[in-house]
Amino acid sequence: MTDAPEKFIRRGARPLADVVARALTPACRKRGFATVDLVAHWPDIVGPAYAETTAPDRLAWTRRPPGLIEEETHEPAVLTVRCTSAAVLRFGHEVPQVIERINMFFGYRCVGRIKIVQLPVARIERRARPVQKPVSAAAEAAVKAEAAGIVDDGLRAAVERLGRAVMAGR
């Protein structure tokens, strides 16, 4: 074997989830999550009704003596979920279905109980789309002239939007 460092292999574009997951894993482990999967896929698990008003906070496992855990003696974890005040009552009624979806997502009985805490759910606000600057009449005519040869109406409209965006940036 040589002591030379491993050669960097360029693999092309990688999904952002792969990069972010590696950075978030230590923070998630402090909260009891073995991986980022439950946090990252929470909107898919609970659906659009609770995606914005709930968030997983902590996963608490029972203390076990060292050794192999057998399926018969496996005790599932308690998941603490943050809920906004408006969603607590509704979410409380659907806890059995949510537990079932979480366990189906992981493929084994991971969560046995959900503890609901009424705390604000921190959400990252999406930035508003930038407003496009107005385009001069000459630039608008140039864009229309360039896109005039395109037969497909949808494609022509998309090319015209792109042309206006490019002309507005100049």
Side-chain angles (χ1 to χ4, degrees), residues 8 99 108 126:
F8 178 74
I99 291 173
Y108 72 101
R126 292 183 180 176

Side-chain angles (χ1 to χ4, degrees), residues 42 45-46 76-77 79 91 94-105 108-115:
W42 184 253
I45 293 170
V46 296
L79 176 65
F91 187 74
E94 295 192 26
V95 163
Q97 290 88 359
V98 173
I99 291 173
E100 185 178 327
R101 288 182 198 155
I102 292 169
N103 292 338
M104 194 168 36
F105 177 79
Y108 72 101
R109 193 166 173 237
C110 174
V111 174
R113 191 168 69 89
I114 290 182
K115 177 182 171 185

Side-chain angles (χ1 to χ4, degrees), residues 132 143 155-168:
Q132 186 176 348
V143 167
L155 181 59
R156 184 175 52 249
V159 169
E160 286 175 0
R161 280 193 312 271
L162 176 63
R164 280 192 293 275
V166 170
M167 294 302 241

Side-chain angles (χ1 to χ4, degrees), residues 1-168:
M1 285 224 166
T2 63
D3 291 332
E6 290 185 30
K7 186 178 177 183
F8 178 74
I9 300 172
R10 184 162 181 98
R11 297 179 188 165
R14 293 187 345 202
L16 183 61
D18 293 348
V19 177
V20 171
R22 197 174 316 155
L24 287 179
T25 299
C28 286
R29 289 223 170 117
K30 287 181 182 178
R31 306 296 289 175
F33 301 107
T35 63
V36 188
D37 292 335
L38 183 62
V39 177
H41 296 285
W42 184 253
D44 299 329
I45 293 170
V46 296
Y50 299 112
E52 296 294 321
T53 57
T54 63
D57 188 48
R58 179 180 299 273
L59 196 60
W61 296 91
T62 57
R63 294 232 174 220
R64 302 266 316 158
L68 293 175
I69 298 174
E70 297 175 8
E71 191 172 336
E72 298 83 32
T73 61
H74 167 69
E75 292 183 36
V78 176
L79 176 65
T80 305
V81 176
R82 289 176 168 245
C83 280
T84 60
S85 59
V88 170
L89 188 60
R90 272 188 313 135
F91 187 74
H93 288 294
E94 295 192 26
V95 163
Q97 290 88 359
V98 173
I99 291 173
E100 185 178 327
R101 288 182 198 155
I102 292 169
N103 292 338
M104 194 168 36
F105 177 79
F106 284 110
Y108 72 101
R109 193 166 173 237
C110 174
V111 174
R113 191 168 69 89
I114 290 182
K115 177 182 171 185
I116 302 171
V117 292
Q118 187 172 335
L119 293 171
V121 177
R123 293 285 175 213
I124 299 171
E125 296 295 324
R126 292 183 180 176
R127 288 187 281 166
R129 286 184 146 184
V131 178
Q132 186 176 348
K133 299 175 187 173
V135 181
S136 68
E140 181 72 31
V143 167
K144 291 236 185 237
E146 287 292 326
I150 301 173
V151 178
D152 185 19
D153 293 335
L155 181 59
R156 184 175 52 249
V159 169
E160 286 175 0
R161 280 193 312 271
L162 176 63
R164 280 192 293 275
V166 170
M167 294 302 241

